Amino acid sequence: MTHSDVTAAAGARPVISLLLECDYPLVARGIRQTLAAESDMRLLNDDVSRPAARNGPGAQCDVMLMNPPLAAPDPLVAVQRVLDRVVPARVVVLTADFSEETALELFRIGVRGVLPLTVAPLEIVSAVRHVVHGGLYVVPELRGLFAAEHMRDQAHHGSRTLSLRETQVLRLLALGHTHHEIAALLSIGVKTVDTHRANVLRKLELRNNADLTRHAIRTRLIRAE
């Protein structure tokens, strides 16, 4: 049940349906209280500690709020799995590992908003309302960086801009994953991974995985160790 399916009382704003995934009880309680105070927002899942959007395809909601666990081997892979299963894929991430690098990585794989866990409750509400209408929500401290990155990408890539899936494959290749591992992580076929890799190499005029890794580091898609 999504934004277009549910409306509040006559004259009120449409109800925004949300899924929340958070492993930290205190954080989850605060987010639930914030959403409960908004008459036009409805949380669809009761147990927010369970992976609401990772099991089974096509989990439907207007916006997914996610706090990826820092203990995960690669929190961005967990986010990618959610992006693959939430329909439509409007994901807002709240993270304790908030930095320019983390935010850019998340935006590049398709996240629509990135917030620090210390954010004011009303900013979560603002982010949800902004994202549900198709926008990207960028907190003030990242707006200058985000604008500069966008202009740089336009100048350097132009018509060679990668699709979301190509960007995901590029990032995982740069992290050293095999084609079979990427296929499993993204729930796609190995031949599809091969096709995406070939498209990335062609669009970016690169030759091999070493070039892909250097490009991913240079564009801050991954962090240099």
Side-chain angles (χ1 to χ4, degrees), residues 12-207:
R13 287 181 293 195
V15 173
I16 301 169
S17 61
L18 299 106
L19 289 171
L20 171 62
E21 185 173 319
C22 180
D23 290 334
Y24 308 105
L26 289 177
V27 174
R29 184 170 64 185
I31 295 173
R32 290 173 69 101
Q33 290 173 345
T34 296
L35 299 177
E38 302 300 318
S39 61
D40 62 335
M41 295 187 183
R42 178 179 299 171
L43 188 61
L44 299 179
N45 58 319
D46 293 324
D47 186 355
V48 299
S49 66
R50 298 182 62 188
R54 292 187 215 168
N55 296 327
Q60 292 192 355
C61 64
D62 291 313
V63 178
M64 173 82 184
L65 291 172
M66 184 181 184
N67 174 219
L70 292 177
D74 186 349
L76 266 72
V77 170
V79 176
Q80 285 180 337
R81 288 174 174 168
V82 168
L83 285 166
D84 289 338
R85 287 167 171 77
V86 172
V87 182
R90 303 186 190 107
V91 176
V92 175
V93 170
L94 296 102
T95 176
D97 181 27
F98 184 80
S99 65
E100 292 181 351
E101 290 79 8
T102 298
L104 285 173
E105 288 174 347
L106 287 165
F107 278 120
R108 286 183 186 278
I109 66 171
V111 168
R112 308 300 295 177
V114 183
L115 303 170
L117 280 181
T118 55
V119 75
L122 287 180
E123 189 150 13
I124 298 175
V125 172
S126 296
V128 168
R129 292 204 172 111
H130 191 74
V131 165
V132 80
H133 292 295
L136 286 177
Y137 191 83
V138 184
V139 293
E141 55 264 45
L142 291 177
R143 285 172 189 165
L145 171 72
F146 192 82
E149 286 289 318
H150 179 72
M151 291 176 65
R152 185 190 59 75
D153 286 347
Q154 291 298 310
H156 286 81
H157 299 308
S159 62
R160 297 177 297 167
T161 300
L162 303 181
S163 70
L164 172 58
R165 183 64 85 197
E166 288 166 350
T167 300
Q168 293 173 335
V169 170
L170 165 59
R171 179 178 178 277
L172 291 171
L173 284 168
L175 288 171
H177 290 282
T178 68
H179 289 209
H180 282 85
E181 289 171 344
I182 294 171
L185 288 168
L186 299 181
S187 300
I188 58 179
V190 175
K191 289 185 178 180
T192 302
V193 175
D194 295 340
T195 299
H196 286 315
R197 177 182 179 274
N199 288 339
V200 170
L201 291 173
R202 174 180 53 81
K203 287 183 177 182
L204 299 181
E205 299 178 359
L206 302 175
R207 295 172 299 174

